[in-house]
Amino acid sequence: MASTTEENYLKALFNLSNPAGEVGISELAQHLQVSMPSANSMVKTLHKSGLLIYEKYKPVTLTQKGKKEAALIIRKHRLTEMFLVNKMGFGWEEVHEIAEQVEHIHAPKFFERMDEMMGHPTVDPHGSPIPDKQGRIQEMHFKSLAEVQPGQEVVLVALRDSSIEFLEYLNSRQLSLGTELRLISKEAFDESIVVSYLDSEKETLSQKVCEKLLVKIYESNKSSH
Amino acid sequence: MASTTEENYLKALFNLSNPAGEVGISELAQHLQVSMPSANSMVKTLHKSGLLIYEKYKPVTLTQKGKKEAALIIRKHRLTEMFLVNKMGFGWEEVHEIAEQVEHIHAPKFFERMDEMMGHPTVDPHGSPIPDKQGRIQEMHFKSLAEVQPGQEVVLVALRDSSIEFLEYLNSRQLSLGTELRLISKEAFDESIVVSYLDSEKETLSQKVCEKLLVKIYESNKSSH
DNA sequence: GTATTTTGTTAGATTATTCTAACAAAGGAA
DNA sequence: TTCCTTTGTTAGAATAATCTAACAAAATAC
C-alpha cells in the first residue's frame, strides 16, 4: 500500500498534470516544497510501482493505475471537506487542512458512511467535483466571471482558488456558492467589474478575483426548461 | 511534535502502566509487536524529550508531561469512537481500527467539534472514560460480573476487553452497555454464571466472560434517591 | 550556433524507525 | 552460591524519505 508520502506525490502529480498529462520534476518539487533530488527519487519509486511513466530528462506521466489512485485520494479529501462543512458546521475556509490529514486514512467504510450521510454529493464545498468510487471525475467547464458580459446574470458555482486568504476575502464580501450575481459594468482600463448581488448591494471585483470565480449563466428569464 | 510512532509508544506505555506507573521494555515491545531493541531505542528517544524516566535495566515510567500527552491521544481516540457510533451509525465492534488512525490527526477544532456535537460525553462506546482537555482521567472502579452474588441485579456499564471477537460475542447475545442483568445462580465448579436479561431470556456466561463485564449494582428496589 | 539558464541527475550523507546477532545484567531455582 | 532464564543492551545493518554539492542535459537567449 502507498505510504502517506507517496499518496501526497500522487495527488500533486494529478493536480499538476497539464492537458497532455505531463508534469516536470522541478514543478513537482516546488509544489511539494522538497528538493529536486527528493522528487526525482520518489518519482523513480512510483515508476517501479507502475504508478507513472518515467524516462530520464523527460516530464513524467501518471499511468491509469496512478491516476485512479490519485483520484481516490482526492475523493476522500473532498468527501471529508464536504462532511466537515455540511455535518460538522465548519466554514469552507477551515476544512482543507483537516482534510489533508483525513484523506490518508485507510478505512473504506468511514468514507462510505460520510458519502451516504450526505446523499452522495458530487462537489466539495469549493465546487470541485468529487471523483466517484471508481476514480472517475466529472470535469466541469465553467466560465470564469471575467469572461461574462455586462448585463448577464450568473450563479457562483465553483472556485479556481481555495486558499484560506481567498476564501476569507469571499466571506468578507458575503460571496458563497449559489450566490446570484448581476454584472453591471466592466471597466475597460483594468478589467475590474461591478456586480450586484444579495438585495442589490453593489461591489467592485478586480480582474484577479473574477478569474477565480467560476459561474453558470443564469437563465431564469429565458426559455430554459 | 511527537511522530505517529512516538504517539503509539506513549499510548502503549500509558495503558501498560502498573499501579506504580512502571512498564518493562519487553512488555512494551510485545504489546507493540516490535523487537526489544526497537522499543529500547524509542524509549531513549522519549527520555530525551522528557516524556519518560529511563534508567538502564530498570522499567520505565512516564513523566507528568508524558502522561498528559498520552491521555490527550486517548481522548482523541475515544471521542472518535463515540462519534463514529453516535453520529455515524457504526457498531461498537467497528470503531477501534478507524479511531486508531484518526487519533493521530492534529486538528484541535476537529475533536472539539465532535465533543460539542455529542454534548461532551464522558465515556466511549465500550464504557472507558474519555480524558478531559487537560488530560485528566476519571478512573472508574466498577466490579466485574464475576464478583457479584446470585440474586443481585446489575447494569452493564463497561468492558475490560474491547476486542472485535469479544464485542461480536456480546452482539450475538444481545448484550450491550445499559443492559440490566439479574444474576440467577453461580456454578461453584467452574464459576460460570446464569443470568436473565431482556424479557427474562436465560443465558449462561463463563467466568472468562464475566470477568470482562464491568457492572454497577442496580438499586431500583432500594432507597436509592 | 555558442553561451547561459533552467531542469534533471548522481553521489553521498542524515534522520527516523526498524531489524538480527551477540552480549550483559537481574532474578529465581536448585 | 552457582546456574539458567528472562530481560535489557549494544553494535551494526536495512529501508524510507529527505538533504547538499556537483555535474549533465535541454531549453532559451542573443
Side-chain angles (χ1 to χ4, degrees):
Chain A
M1 203 179 323
S3 68
T4 295
T5 311
E6 287 172 317
E7 291 191 345
N8 283 332
Y9 273 91
L10 286 174
K11 231 184 7 150
L13 287 162
F14 191 95
N15 288 325
L16 294 173
S17 286
N18 64 20
E22 296 174 331
V23 185
I25 304 288
S26 88
E27 204 184 346
L28 179 62
Q30 261 210 286
H31 185 85
L32 290 171
Q33 303 265 64
V34 297
S35 67
M36 281 201 343
S38 298
N40 183 268
S41 141
M42 180 54 82
V43 152
K44 287 177 176 175
T45 304
L46 297 173
H47 175 60
K48 278 180 206 138
S49 310
L51 295 163
L52 58 75
I53 295 158
Y54 169 69
E55 282 178 277
K56 266 195 183 181
Y57 295 107
K58 290 199 180 156
V60 300
T61 313
L62 286 176
T63 58
Q64 271 316 112
K65 187 181 164 197
K67 267 186 230 166
K68 183 171 178 182
E69 272 220 26
L72 291 176
I73 298 158
I74 291 167
R75 172 174 166 81
K76 290 195 281 183
H77 182 101
R78 296 187 177 162
L79 277 175
T80 301
E81 287 195 340
M82 204 62 178
F83 186 84
L84 291 171
V85 169
N86 285 355
K87 298 290 172 184
M88 295 186 76
F90 282 94
W92 64 351
E93 77 287 358
E94 302 179 287
V95 297
H96 179 77
E97 257 195 307
I98 304 177
E100 205 69 10
Q101 297 178 65
V102 175
E103 72 191 3
H104 299 295
I105 286 174
H106 294 287
K109 280 191 215 163
F110 183 46
F111 298 99
E112 278 306 300
R113 206 64 250 296
M114 284 189 193
D115 191 32
E116 274 172 45
M117 284 173 73
M118 297 188 288
H120 312 287
T122 59
V123 295
D124 78 7
H126 315 108
S128 301
I130 298 176
D132 69 19
K133 278 180 231 174
Q134 280 70 248
R136 286 177 306 226
I137 227 167
Q138 188 61 47
E139 275 308 336
M140 300 296 182
H141 301 285
F142 298 121
K143 276 195 176 157
S144 85
L145 187 55
E147 300 167 64
V148 174
Q149 293 313 308
Q152 288 194 290
E153 293 193 354
V154 301
V155 195
L156 181 56
V157 290
L159 307 177
R160 266 203 191 123
D161 174 1
S162 302
S163 66
I164 293 185
E165 300 76 46
F166 186 52
L167 293 169
E168 284 181 344
Y169 166 84
L170 298 178
N171 284 347
S172 72
R173 307 286 147 120
Q174 301 184 60
L175 280 166
S176 61
L177 296 196
T179 300
E180 300 175 7
L181 302 148
R182 166 189 284 276
L183 213 156
I184 307 286
S185 66
K186 188 181 253 181
E187 177 60 59
F189 171 63
D190 64 357
E191 309 235 34
S192 68
I193 270 170
V194 177
V195 292
S196 88
Y197 57 97
L198 292 179
D199 309 320
S200 70
E201 291 182 33
K202 259 185 201 173
E203 196 73 57
T204 303
L205 303 173
S206 70
Q207 199 217 2
K208 211 155 203 161
V209 166
C210 292
E211 276 177 348
K212 294 175 173 179
L213 300 175
L214 299 175
V215 300
K216 231 173 151 166
I217 308 290
Y218 190 58
E219 323 230 15
S220 69
N221 43 9
K222 291 189 185 168
S223 61
S224 76
H225 82 95
Chain B
M1 202 181 324
S3 67
T4 295
T5 311
E6 287 172 319
E7 291 191 344
N8 283 332
Y9 273 91
L10 286 174
K11 229 184 10 152
L13 286 162
F14 191 96
N15 288 325
L16 294 173
S17 287
N18 65 21
E22 297 174 329
V23 184
I25 305 287
S26 90
E27 205 184 345
L28 179 62
Q30 261 209 287
H31 184 86
L32 290 170
Q33 302 266 66
V34 298
S35 68
M36 278 195 355
S38 298
N40 183 269
S41 142
M42 179 54 83
V43 152
K44 286 177 177 177
T45 304
L46 296 173
H47 175 60
K48 278 180 205 138
S49 308
L51 295 162
L52 56 76
I53 296 158
Y54 169 70
E55 281 178 275
K56 265 194 183 182
Y57 296 107
K58 289 198 180 155
V60 300
T61 314
L62 285 176
T63 59
Q64 272 316 111
K65 188 180 163 197
K67 268 185 227 167
K68 182 172 177 182
E69 272 221 26
L72 291 176
I73 298 158
I74 291 167
R75 174 175 165 81
K76 291 194 281 182
H77 182 102
R78 294 186 178 162
L79 278 175
T80 301
E81 288 195 338
M82 204 61 178
F83 187 85
L84 291 171
V85 169
N86 285 356
K87 298 290 172 183
M88 296 186 75
F90 283 94
W92 64 351
E93 77 287 358
E94 302 179 288
V95 297
H96 179 77
E97 256 194 308
I98 304 178
E100 205 68 10
Q101 299 179 65
V102 175
E103 72 190 4
H104 299 295
I105 286 174
H106 293 287
K109 280 191 217 163
F110 183 47
F111 298 99
E112 279 306 299
R113 206 64 251 295
M114 282 189 193
D115 192 32
E116 274 172 45
M117 285 174 73
M118 297 188 288
H120 312 288
T122 60
V123 296
D124 79 6
H126 316 107
S128 301
I130 298 175
D132 69 18
K133 278 180 231 173
Q134 280 70 249
R136 285 178 306 226
I137 227 167
Q138 187 62 46
E139 276 308 337
M140 299 296 182
H141 302 285
F142 299 121
K143 276 194 175 161
S144 84
L145 187 55
E147 300 167 62
V148 174
Q149 294 312 309
Q152 287 194 291
E153 293 192 355
V154 300
V155 196
L156 181 55
V157 290
L159 307 177
R160 266 204 190 122
D161 174 1
S162 302
S163 65
I164 294 185
E165 301 75 46
F166 187 53
L167 294 169
E168 284 180 344
Y169 166 85
L170 298 178
N171 285 347
S172 72
R173 307 287 148 118
Q174 300 185 60
L175 280 166
S176 61
L177 295 196
T179 300
E180 300 175 8
L181 302 147
R182 167 188 283 276
L183 212 156
I184 309 285
S185 65
K186 187 181 253 180
E187 177 60 58
F189 171 63
D190 63 358
E191 310 236 32
S192 67
I193 271 171
V194 178
V195 291
S196 89
Y197 58 98
L198 292 181
D199 310 319
S200 69
E201 290 182 34
K202 259 184 201 172
E203 194 75 58
T204 303
L205 302 174
S206 71
Q207 199 217 3
K208 210 155 202 159
V209 166
C210 292
E211 276 177 348
K212 295 175 171 177
L213 299 176
L214 299 175
V215 299
K216 229 171 150 168
I217 309 290
Y218 191 57
E219 323 230 16
S220 66
N221 43 10
K222 290 192 182 165
S223 60
S224 74
H225 87 101

